């Protein structure tokens, strides 16, 4: 347990230290935040992470390439598919595997469904953070449908292990497309319902507008990515800026905020779900027939070399840096996780606000602790 | 910008000890003391605004630890890797947390995982690990609590 | 049958007849009259308390069912028919649980806090007219008594927060005290306007004042809204649940409480909800008056109408922030309530 | 009879908690005992038929003054983590003051012509509502003292605000 720098020095009579976490309802996992408070106003903040560090990177060095994919599921259990993707893409790039067209489209569809799943859960959790207990039930109504679809395809509801090196284990279910169509038909309306229920609520806008303002330059300097960065007004989305897979073929908008406050980050996520639905619609229409898995050698032994692949996960840029020495096991793997950088900016945007704002700001950063701790 | 152009541009201002191309990405070895200056140059002049990550790779065979800095440019979508070769016994490198704030936590992580000292770092505390575990990501790390499986 | 009807519709008369009849009998036996009065009052108090506790259990169930309705789920439906016995089971569970006393608590404050909150909450019902003449004690200062006694629970909350020796509890207690004190002022001002209109502080008098004219909700509509908001804030329910904001302060002032003591808090919270709604019904909705049905039924219908509104608010809104809470009370509610009072006084005078 | 028993019970409560109040080492406990003392006083008011006074006593003294007191105690002591012991430096002046107060009360009790007073007040109360009496008195016979006290309170309020805001400026 690390002491915050301000714990060492003497604090003034009016200030006191409050430990938020490691067990706290709104740290969403085992995260400890040391707050220095003056009444209810935050005057100092120090995040202490690492409570559930499990040394995934070291474990990966002792596993064969095809055994590592499930580990990436567990880094961020909420958008597991995207994390699979960055990993298998790294191996595929090292080995020079070309995916069949159908597999690429299937990957896009699963990844976007996964993004919707993750954002819906974030929406529910954020509602709980600000004291609205009802939104979760409405969001989970749709989230269950999405999970059912992905479950039908992969067999998993949370950690799907959806992707294999070279493609997929099985093809899409027969009724997948019809279910998807039925889901997308009503999803647009449902997003409007969520916005009416929580995002546009008077109390919520009063609580989030102008709170936790993160400006563009600070965001980039801290390596913040994903919806948080876009909320600050940077139109940066790896699906557009460094298109991977077949994303360049889709027509979608990069949603951005204006002021970089908490509300903008909420709005960006809501809009992103709309865009995801748009991508899904296009992908379902464009889905070609054919193989769903490339020819992959039985023993996976990439050539020696280094690679860094990154995807736009629900939380931002997730990257896998992999060093291969030509054996069956990776020499070194580094996971670059978005929440890690997103959390590091918390101190910058929280000082001077209230305890309740800390919770709201943290909720708007959409942290997942296992990927910070790894 | 391709690999060669970026390399030329860096070479105009700073010395590049060694360079290689890995799957189309420039890997440039920089002198240890120069890293902060080069990072600032990358950020301000070449517009590589994003520092994706800092990590290290241990090569006990060469008695070297390589610190890896991965940069990305939002404008041109180019990536560049800067590398620093360090002696395993006394791994020390100046911090670049003054240039990129995100380096703060990444350096703390690399520091505890590889036993690298980032000199000038404002708060080189433990980040993820508890006390008592020293540089576990080095290749020669042995967990004292671990008993190897018997050979079948 | 006639007696039952008389009891339901015009409870005061048969009760006082019964009382004087008993007095005559006891006097015949040579018993002192004050003893009878004492026993009489004791019985009334016990009966009211029993009804209130059962009612609180039922409100908890009702609140949960309403929340289920709003959250597209079923709510309690396992224990008993339609889950009716769920809260009873919960209470039994709470009562037989281990009573955890953390190490560094301040024993006196920690133990006395649930009592300070629990007892006044029930004592307040002494002056509430449940029906025609069905008032345990119709004090002259009825409404003032209610305001004064409910104010006592702040001390309980502060004691709970301080005694728990937990920073979350302490912040919760402080928030609660600040909240209750600042929302009490607009509430009292609104009540004053009602008192001006009815010309008495007696609860039965306020009800009677609404019988020959319209209910006060019509002339005092602004007051009714302010009363509902301030009352909601006084009972610490969302969106004013800052003292026990789960996502910020874990559970606020009752973080360290468990078992029986927690059950006290829980019952008191829901009884408070009932109280606020009942006072709102009495002050603004004409109390027990209404056609066809017996007064006591009307009383409960109106009270539950207000409870439903408060539940609806609770399950729809997010929580507001502490500075906004204060701002809302002092910058909006208080001036509005003052305006309401002045306008009422001017209209009544001229 | 019941009234008498209740009177003695509440009187005992007042004395008991008053003694505890001045001897308590813990300031927070002291505040709780103060609340209990004031509550006892309110109960005695109620017993003597002054329900309005009793209500006001509870509302103002317990609901506002004691709460404010506890608020201040919470703010200054517990959060900072220090718990200073209560000191009895002013024991001699305190004794003198209390003796003087007791003498004053005893003299007042002895000098009052209770028989006529009680008769008068009972007649008055029966004629009018207790609350109404107080109201009429405040706005007729005691109008000037009432206004003076109001102005005094207002001045105190403004003074408090002024002191606090000056502190804030100095702090910044």
């Amino acid at each position: 347990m690390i002491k915050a720098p301000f714990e060492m020095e003497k604090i003034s009579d009016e200030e006191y230290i409050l430990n938020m976490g490691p067990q706290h309802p709104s740290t969403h996992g085992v995260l400890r935040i040391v707050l220095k408070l003056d009444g209810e106003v935050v005057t100092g903040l120090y995040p202490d992470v690492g409570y559930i560090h499990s040394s995934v990177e070291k474990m990966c060095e002792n596993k064969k390439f095809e055994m590592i994919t499930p580990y990436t599921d567990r880094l961020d259990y909420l958008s597991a598919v995207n994390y699979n993707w960055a990993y298998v893409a790294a191996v595929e790039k090292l080995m020079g595997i070309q995916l069949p067209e159908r597999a690429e489209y299937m990957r896009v569809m699963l990844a976007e469904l996964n993004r919707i799943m993750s954002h819906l859960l974030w929406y529910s959790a954020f509602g709980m953070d600000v004291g609205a207990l009802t939104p979760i039930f409405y969001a989970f109504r749709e989230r269950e449908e999405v999970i059912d679809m992905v479950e039908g395809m992969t067999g998993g509801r949370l950690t799907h292990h959806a992707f294999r090196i070279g493609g997929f284990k099985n093809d899409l279910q027969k009724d997948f497309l019809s279910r998807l169509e039925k889901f997308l038909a009503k999803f647009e309306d449902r997003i409007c319902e969520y916005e009416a229920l929580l995002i546009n609520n008077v109390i919520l806008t009063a609580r989030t507008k102008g709170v936790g303002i993160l400006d563009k330059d600070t965001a980039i300097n801290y390596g913040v990515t994903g919806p948080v960065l876009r909320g600050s007004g940077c139109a940066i989305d790896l699906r557009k800026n460094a298109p991977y897979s077949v994303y360049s073929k889709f027509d979608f908008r990069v949603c951005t905020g204006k002021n970089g406050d908490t509300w903008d980050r909420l709005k960006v996520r809501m809009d992103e779900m709309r865009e995801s639905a748009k991508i899904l619609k296009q992908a379902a229409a464009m889905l070609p027939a054919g193989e769903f898995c490339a020819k992959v050698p039985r023993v996976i032994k990439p050539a020696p070399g280094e690679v860094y692949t990154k995807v736009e996960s629900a939380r931002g840029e997730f990257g896998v840096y992999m060093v291969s020495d030509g054996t069956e096991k990776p020499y070194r793997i580094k996971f670059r996780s978005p929440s890690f950088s997103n959390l590091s900016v918390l101190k910058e945007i929280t000082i001077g606000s209230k305890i309740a704002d800390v919770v709201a700001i943290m909720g708007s950063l959409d942290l997942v602790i296992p990927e910070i701790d790894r | 910008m391709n690999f060669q152009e970026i390399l030329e541009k860096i070479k105009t201002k700073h010395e590049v000890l060694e360079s290689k191309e890995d799957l189309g990405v420039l890997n440039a070895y920089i002198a240890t003391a120069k890293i902060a200056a080069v990072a600032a140059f990358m950020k301000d002049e070449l517009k590589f605004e994003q520092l994706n990550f800092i990590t290290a790779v241990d090569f006990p065979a060469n008695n070297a630890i390589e610190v890896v800095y991965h940069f990305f440019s939002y404008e041109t979508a180019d990536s560049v890797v800067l590398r620093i070769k360090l002696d395993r016994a006394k791994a020390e490198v100046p911090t670049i947390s003054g240039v990129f704030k995100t380096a703060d936590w990444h350096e703390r992580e690399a520091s505890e995982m590889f036993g690298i000292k980032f000199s000038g770092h404002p708060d080189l505390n433990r980040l993820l690990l508890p006390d008592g575990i020293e540089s576990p990501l080095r290749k020669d790390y042995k967990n004292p609590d671990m008993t190897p499986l018997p050979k079948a | 049958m006639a007696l039952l009807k008389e009891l339901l519709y015009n409870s005061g008369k048969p009760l006082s007849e019964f009382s004087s009849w008993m007095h005559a009998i006891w006097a015949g036996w040579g018993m002192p009259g004050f003893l009878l009065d004492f026993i009489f009052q004791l019985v009334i108090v016990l009966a009211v308390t029993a009804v209130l506790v059962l009612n609180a259990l039922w409100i908890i169930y009702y609140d949960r069912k309403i929340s289920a309705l709003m959250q597209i789920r079923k709510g309690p439906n396992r224990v008993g028919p339609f889950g009716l016995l769920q809260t009873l089971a919960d209470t039994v569970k709470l009562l037989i649980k281990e009573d955890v006393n953390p190490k560094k608590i301040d024993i006196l404050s920690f133990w006395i806090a649930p009592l300070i909150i629990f007892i006044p909450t029930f004592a307040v019902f002494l002056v509430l007219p449940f029906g025609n003449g069905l008032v345990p004690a119709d004090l002259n200062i009825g409404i003032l008594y209610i305001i004064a006694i409910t104010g006592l629970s702040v001390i309980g909350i502060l004691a709970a927060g301080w005694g728990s020796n937990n920073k979350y509890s302490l912040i919760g207690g402080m928030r609660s005290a600040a909240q209750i004190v600042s929302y009490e002022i607009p509430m009292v001002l609104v009540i004053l306007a009602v008192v001006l209109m009815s010309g008495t502080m007696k609860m039965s008098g306020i009800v009677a004042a609404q019988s020959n004219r319209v209910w006060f909700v019509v002339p005092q509509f602004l007051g009714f809204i302010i009363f509902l908001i301030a009352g909601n804030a006084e009972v610490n329910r969302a969106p004013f649940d800052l003292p026990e904001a789960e996502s910020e302060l874990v559970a606020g002032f009752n973080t360290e409480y468990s078992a029986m003591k927690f059950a006290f808090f829980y019952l008191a919270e829901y009884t408070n909800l009932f109280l606020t709604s009942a006072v709102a019904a009495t002050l603004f909705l004409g109390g027990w008056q209404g056609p066809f049905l017996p007064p006591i039924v009307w009383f409960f219908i109106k009270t539950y109408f207000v409870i439903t509104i408060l539940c609806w608010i609770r399950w729809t809104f997010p929580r507001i922030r502490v500075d906004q809470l204060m701002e809302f009370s002092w910058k909006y509610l208080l001036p509005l309530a003052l305006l309401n009072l002045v306008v009422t006084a001017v209209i009544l005078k001229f | 009879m019941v009234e008498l028993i209740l009177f003695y019970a509440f009187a005992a409560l007042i004395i008991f908690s008053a003694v505890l109040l001045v001897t308590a080492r813990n300031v927070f406990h002291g505040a709780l005992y103060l609340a209990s003392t004031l509550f006892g006083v309110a109960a005695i008011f109620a017993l003597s038929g002054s329900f309005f006074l009793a209500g006001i006593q509870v509302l103002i003294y317990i609901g506002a003054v004691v709460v404010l007191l506890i608020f201040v105690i919470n703010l200054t002591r517990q959060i900072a983590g220090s718990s200073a012991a209560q000191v009895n430096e002013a024991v001699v002046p305190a004794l003198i003051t209390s003796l003087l107060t007791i003498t004053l009360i005893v003299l007042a009790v002895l000098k009052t012509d209770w028989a006529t007073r009680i008769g008068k007040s009972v007649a008055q109360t029966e004629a009018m509502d207790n609350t109404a009496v107080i109201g009429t008195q405040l706005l007729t016979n005691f109008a000037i003292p009432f206004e003076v006290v109001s102005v005094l309170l207002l001045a105190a309020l403004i003074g408090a605000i002024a002191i606090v805001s000056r502190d804030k400026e100095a702090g910044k």
Side-chain angles (χ1 to χ4, degrees):
Chain A
M1 200 164 89
I2 295 163
K3 284 206 149 192
F6 49 74
E7 278 184 278
M8 323 285 195
E9 61 205 50
K10 194 176 167 357
I11 56 168
S12 76
D13 277 354
E14 281 158 17
E15 290 175 328
Y16 60 101
I17 285 170
L18 182 74
N19 263 309
M20 204 181 232
Q23 283 88 31
H24 188 278
S26 53
T27 51
H28 301 296
V30 198
L31 165 69
R32 169 169 167 254
I33 291 181
V34 190
L35 296 171
K36 187 166 71 163
L37 297 167
D38 177 4
E40 294 239 357
V41 181
V42 179
T43 53
L45 181 145
Y46 193 81
D48 180 11
V49 296
Y51 281 88
I52 45 172
H53 175 67
S54 48
S55 206
V56 174
E57 290 171 15
K58 186 78 176 177
M59 282 200 277
C60 290
E61 289 177 14
N62 299 311
K63 293 269 185 285
K64 292 181 181 173
F65 280 101
E66 61 270 36
M67 292 160 78
I68 293 172
T69 335
Y71 279 103
T72 58
D73 278 331
R74 280 144 186 88
L75 285 180
D76 177 355
Y77 42 82
L78 299 180
S79 67
V81 174
N82 281 297
Y83 284 57
N84 287 165
W85 199 347
Y87 171 72
V88 293
V91 181
E92 283 157 7
K93 206 165 169 187
L94 271 179
M95 296 180 69
I97 297 173
Q98 196 64 42
L99 253 69
E101 190 87 327
R102 184 179 173 81
E104 296 278 19
Y105 278 92
M106 281 163 65
R107 282 191 174 180
V108 168
M109 286 205 297
L110 275 183
E112 292 308 320
L113 278 179
N114 195 230
R115 192 183 313 278
I116 290 177
M117 264 163 66
S118 172
H119 281 355
L120 284 179
L121 188 108
W122 156 80
Y123 169 81
S124 332
F126 185 79
M128 305 282 264
D129 283 349
V130 294
L133 303 176
T134 302
I136 183 171
F137 294 96
Y138 288 81
F140 266 55
R141 184 180 52 187
E142 271 71 60
R143 190 170 182 266
E144 284 299 306
E145 279 183 48
V146 181
I147 291 181
D148 285 345
M149 268 188 266
V150 182
E151 187 193 14
M153 164 91 193
T154 64
R157 288 178 69 83
L158 196 66
T159 49
H160 314 289
H161 191 189
F163 295 177
R164 301 296 195 277
I165 295 163
F168 283 87
K169 190 156 182 294
N170 26 27
D171 204 350
L172 288 173
Q173 274 194 317
K174 279 197 204 86
D175 62 343
F176 181 86
L177 287 178
S178 59
R179 279 164 84 177
L180 183 68
E181 198 182 345
K182 226 192 282 170
F183 170 75
L184 290 176
K186 65 181 176 202
F187 190 55
E188 182 70 22
D189 287 345
R190 292 291 158 88
I191 297 177
C192 295
E193 195 179 302
Y194 305 147
E195 287 191 335
L197 189 59
L198 184 68
I199 307 294
N200 292 333
N201 182 294
V202 191
I203 295 178
L204 188 97
T205 43
R207 271 196 63 176
T208 51
K209 282 206 169 155
V211 169
I213 295 177
L214 173 64
D215 64 84
K216 235 176 177 170
D217 296 334
T218 318
I220 292 177
N221 204 359
Y222 270 93
V224 169
T225 49
V228 183
L229 179 64
R230 290 193 282 279
S232 298
C234 286
I236 289 162
D237 188 325
L238 291 178
R239 293 174 293 173
K240 267 271 198 280
N241 290 59
Y244 50 97
S245 187
V246 287
Y247 270 115
S248 49
K249 293 183 184 168
F250 298 114
D251 166 43
F252 65 99
R253 195 168 57 87
V254 178
C255 321
T256 53
K258 278 200 196 76
N259 312 316
D261 56 13
T262 307
W263 192 82
D264 278 351
R265 295 194 274 275
L266 316 184
K267 184 70 181 161
V268 161
R269 289 206 180 83
M270 300 314 282
D271 288 343
E272 253 178 38
M273 285 201 269
R274 293 200 171 94
E275 297 304 316
S276 287
K278 225 154 100 187
I279 296 175
L280 277 168
K281 238 175 234 165
Q282 295 168 39
M286 288 154 77
L287 181 72
E291 283 294 309
F292 56 85
C293 194
K295 289 270 170 289
V296 181
R298 260 175 58 83
V299 179
I300 294 175
K301 248 186 193 177
E306 291 186 10
V307 68
Y308 178 66
T309 53
K310 52 197 176 210
V311 296
E312 183 74 30
S313 89
R315 258 151 283 281
E317 174 188 328
F318 176 69
V320 174
Y321 172 70
M322 192 188 286
V323 182
S324 158
D325 60 351
T327 57
E328 288 179 345
K329 295 171 181 173
Y331 187 75
R332 164 102 176 94
I333 281 191
K334 153 90 185 168
F335 295 116
R336 190 264 183 218
S337 52
S339 292
F340 187 77
S341 301
N342 290 3
L343 174 63
S344 69
V345 84
L346 180 66
K347 180 181 170 186
E348 200 78 15
I349 58 180
T350 316
I351 303 275
S353 44
K354 310 271 186 310
I355 302 178
D357 292 334
V358 178
V359 172
I361 292 169
M362 241 161 42
S364 77
L365 295 180
D366 191 13
L367 304 170
V368 167
I369 311 305
E371 65 158 358
I372 298 174
D373 289 356
R374 280 160 290 145
Chain B
M1 283 193 290
N2 61 23
F3 154 74
Q4 210 61 38
E5 276 175 51
I6 302 171
L7 183 61
E8 291 308 317
K9 276 193 177 163
I10 300 175
K11 274 185 173 168
T12 57
K13 284 276 172 66
H14 296 282
E15 194 189 357
V16 174
L17 299 178
E18 195 186 324
S19 68
K20 63 177 180 184
E21 186 183 351
D22 212 335
L23 293 168
V25 176
L26 169 68
N27 280 252
Y29 285 85
I30 303 289
T32 313
K34 284 282 186 58
I35 182 63
V38 180
F41 171 75
M42 299 285 294
K43 182 185 168 193
D44 298 332
E45 313 266 322
L46 300 186
K47 297 285 172 238
F48 282 88
E49 307 103 324
Q50 194 197 7
L51 172 67
N52 293 79
F53 63 87
I54 299 173
T55 189
V57 188
D58 186 22
F59 296 104
N62 311 342
N63 188 29
I65 283 185
E66 291 187 4
V67 185
V68 179
Y69 299 80
H70 197 286
F71 295 92
F72 180 72
S73 165
Y74 286 133
E75 273 174 33
T76 59
D78 283 319
S79 298
V80 168
V81 179
L82 296 186
R83 305 176 81 97
I84 288 176
K85 229 177 226 163
L86 295 173
D87 188 359
R88 290 185 87 228
K90 49 177 207 310
E92 185 171 345
V93 59
T95 176
I96 63 164
S97 58
V99 185
F100 288 97
K101 285 276 177 56
T102 183
D104 187 334
W105 279 29
H106 279 103
E107 282 178 355
R108 274 171 75 183
E109 191 194 340
S111 156
E112 62 183 348
M113 294 292 179
F114 288 91
I116 302 170
K117 184 161 186 272
F118 287 88
S119 48
H121 191 282
D123 171 34
L124 207 57
N125 255 321
R126 293 275 173 143
L127 183 68
L128 298 176
L129 295 179
D131 289 339
I133 301 178
E134 296 302 329
S135 38
L137 279 185
R138 286 199 184 198
K139 286 288 175 186
D140 53 4
Y141 175 77
K142 288 269 184 300
N143 186 348
D145 299 335
M146 208 154 68
T147 36
L149 281 174
K151 285 261 178 330
Chain C
M1 206 55 219
L3 182 70
L4 187 70
K5 205 178 164 196
E6 182 83 3
L7 252 177
L8 276 175
Y9 280 89
N10 196 8
S11 327
K13 217 174 111 215
L15 279 180
S16 68
E17 274 169 10
F18 179 69
S19 161
S20 46
W21 178 63
M22 281 294 284
H23 265 284
I25 293 179
W26 277 51
W29 293 346
M31 294 277 187
F34 70 86
L35 201 61
L36 181 69
D37 281 340
F38 184 71
I39 291 171
F40 228 74
Q41 277 159 6
L42 199 68
V43 168
I44 287 174
V45 166
L46 284 181
V48 170
T49 311
V51 167
L52 286 177
V53 170
L54 284 178
N55 188 46
L57 292 181
W58 160 250
I59 295 175
I60 295 172
Y61 172 80
Y62 183 74
D63 187 28
R64 291 173 70 170
K65 274 293 184 193
I66 293 233
S67 79
L69 190 74
M70 299 202 167
Q71 300 174 340
I72 45 173
R73 59 190 176 89
K74 287 202 171 67
N77 62 352
R78 281 288 178 275
V79 188
F82 307 107
L84 271 168
L85 300 179
Q86 179 68 49
T87 41
L88 199 66
D90 286 348
T91 318
V92 171
K93 182 206 78 172
L94 279 176
L95 295 189
I96 60 178
K97 269 197 145 183
E98 187 196 349
D99 190 22
V100 181
N101 285 327
K103 215 171 185 178
K104 293 197 170 174
I105 51 166
D106 181 73
I107 288 284
L108 175 74
S109 332
F110 192 75
W111 275 79
I112 208 164
L115 296 178
I116 301 185
I117 293 175
F118 193 70
I119 294 171
T121 307
F122 282 85
V124 169
F125 286 91
L126 202 61
V127 294
L128 219 60
F130 290 89
N132 190 5
L134 204 62
V135 192
D138 199 8
L139 296 184
N140 266 339
I141 52 153
I143 189 69
L144 178 70
Y145 171 83
I146 292 180
I147 299 167
I149 298 291
T150 43
L152 285 180
S153 60
V154 186
I155 294 185
I157 291 175
L158 279 169
W162 193 85
S164 298
N165 201 0
N166 174 331
K167 281 170 191 161
Y168 288 116
S169 304
L170 187 64
I171 299 173
M174 306 277 273
R175 276 184 176 186
S176 175
Q179 177 176 329
I180 292 181
V181 167
S182 31
Y183 276 83
E184 202 153 80
I185 295 166
M187 192 165 165
V188 168
L189 287 177
V190 165
I191 291 175
L192 258 181
V194 172
V195 170
L196 276 185
M197 287 195 74
S198 59
T200 174
M201 292 202 286
K202 218 180 211 176
M203 294 300 273
S204 58
I206 293 173
V207 174
Q210 296 177 71
S211 65
N212 39 16
R213 275 176 286 165
V214 286
W215 293 350
F216 285 154
V217 67
V218 179
Q220 289 285 336
F221 188 71
L222 181 65
F224 181 60
I225 300 294
I226 295 175
F227 185 88
L228 276 191
I229 295 172
N232 205 8
E234 295 248 322
V235 294
N236 298 338
R237 281 166 67 86
F240 305 105
D241 59 342
L242 290 99
E244 43 199 299
E246 192 203 289
S247 54
E248 298 154 26
L249 302 183
V250 190
F253 62 87
N254 50 32
T255 304
E256 300 289 357
Y257 282 90
S258 57
M260 182 91 175
K261 293 205 276 290
F262 180 75
F264 270 28
F265 280 127
Y266 205 60
L267 281 179
E269 184 191 326
Y270 278 91
T271 312
N272 252 327
L273 172 67
F274 180 72
L275 172 75
T276 306
S277 310
V279 171
T282 310
L283 292 190
F284 295 98
L285 301 179
W288 44 261
Q289 297 177 45
F292 311 123
L293 296 171
I296 189 154
V297 177
W298 271 112
F299 174 79
F300 275 98
I301 286 176
K302 286 169 183 173
T303 306
Y304 271 87
F305 170 71
V306 181
I307 289 179
T308 313
I309 295 178
L310 293 184
C311 287
W312 184 11
I313 293 171
R314 176 182 182 179
W315 295 111
T316 324
F317 283 123
R319 183 183 308 122
I320 72 175
R321 205 170 53 209
V322 65
D323 53 328
Q324 292 165 345
L325 178 93
M326 290 295 149
E327 217 167 77
F328 187 61
S329 169
W330 294 104
K331 289 192 182 161
Y332 300 99
L333 285 189
L334 183 62
L336 276 178
L338 264 175
L339 187 77
N340 183 47
L341 179 65
V342 171
V343 169
T344 312
V346 168
I347 289 176
L348 282 178
K349 185 76 191 164
F350 301 106
Chain D
M1 186 64 195
V2 179
E3 276 88 353
L4 209 61
I5 296 170
L6 283 174
F7 173 80
Y8 282 120
F10 280 116
L13 173 77
I14 293 172
I15 292 169
F16 181 67
S17 36
V19 169
L20 280 176
L21 164 59
V22 291
T23 53
R25 312 296 295 180
N26 186 322
V27 183
F28 189 85
H29 291 176
L32 288 183
Y33 295 134
L34 177 62
S36 137
T37 313
L38 293 171
F39 185 78
V41 174
I44 287 190
F45 280 148
L47 280 178
S48 56
S50 307
F51 288 109
F52 182 74
L53 216 55
I56 292 295
Q57 169 90 5
V58 173
L59 187 65
I60 306 282
Y61 282 91
I62 305 182
V65 174
V66 174
V67 167
L68 201 68
L69 217 93
I70 295 179
F71 214 83
V72 172
I73 292 171
N74 280 356
L75 270 183
T76 50
R77 299 168 57 82
Q78 176 70 16
I79 280 185
S82 61
S83 55
Q86 202 188 347
V87 284
N88 289 338
E89 278 168 3
V91 68
V92 178
L95 268 178
I96 294 169
T97 324
S98 9
L99 277 177
L100 281 176
T101 319
I102 289 172
T103 331
L104 205 69
I105 292 173
V106 169
L107 280 178
V109 169
L110 291 178
K111 289 250 171 167
T112 313
D113 182 5
W114 287 105
T116 50
R117 273 196 90 88
I118 288 172
K120 238 171 101 182
S121 76
V122 165
Q124 222 168 19
T125 337
E126 272 167 11
M128 278 174 91
D129 194 352
N130 194 310
T131 319
V133 175
I134 294 177
T136 336
Q137 291 290 331
L138 274 184
L139 290 180
T140 51
N141 290 351
F142 295 96
I144 292 170
F146 180 67
E147 290 301 323
V148 169
V149 168
S150 312
V151 171
L152 182 74
L153 283 178
L154 187 68
L157 199 74
I158 294 171
I161 294 171
I163 290 171
V164 170
S165 59
R166 202 188 312 134
D167 273 6
K168 263 209 173 146
E169 275 161 27
K172 276 172 190 167

